[in-house]
Amino acid sequence: MRPKNLEKEEAIRSIALQIIAEEGLENLSMQKLAKAANVSPRTIYIKYENKEDFLIKLFIDEVIGSYEKAVLEKFDPEMPFAEGVKKLWANGFRYFKENRHYYALMQYGKSSPLLNKAYQERGIREGDFFAPIHTFFSFHVKAGTIIKLPMEALRAILFAPLLDLINEYFEHTQRPKQIITDKVLADCCEAVIKGLLK
């Protein structure tokens, strides 16, 4: 890709994330994006089939890598189980609090059937992302610390409650009282830990 085209591509992605952050994912349209980026809609459609294709590629290129890096900060797959889960939750919660627009894309990416297609096109396999978390679970299953479940189930038990709590956190930012406090988050994390321990 030529430098000028690369700059244009980065500008389109940056503006898309800004629209998502300010107006919500549902209010992003290719026409609105083209107008805000000062390009024709045709320019966007040369690279992307449609809005879903754009969002999935944005998710893979912008969100998943930075989310993985943030979640795994100061995490070691051989940490004691409770300590490791608390670290993953603290890192994940902080990341999404600071990147709300990425959270919207994460939710979209999880529910879109195009995600698997995008992974296949890029040659991304199960475990290519978050491999240390898979190692962490395998380590603790083998050590007899936690119950044995399929990796997908363990990941869901670990992350689904956290993502729902983050959603609740954002829902309450405009209300008089924030119900997702540090204590509530810590108590929920403890409940997840206890639920997985043998």
Side-chain angles (χ1 to χ4, degrees), residues 3-4 7 28 48 80 100 113 119:
K4 196 165 189 176
E7 284 176 25
L28 177 70
Y48 305 100
R100 185 175 185 165
Y119 277 179

Side-chain angles (χ1 to χ4, degrees), residues 135-148 154 198:
T135 303
F136 174 69
F137 280 131
S138 297
F139 175 80
H140 285 289
V141 166
K142 191 173 181 181
T145 313
I146 60 172
I147 58 176
K148 184 176 182 178
L154 289 169
K198 262 192 170 179

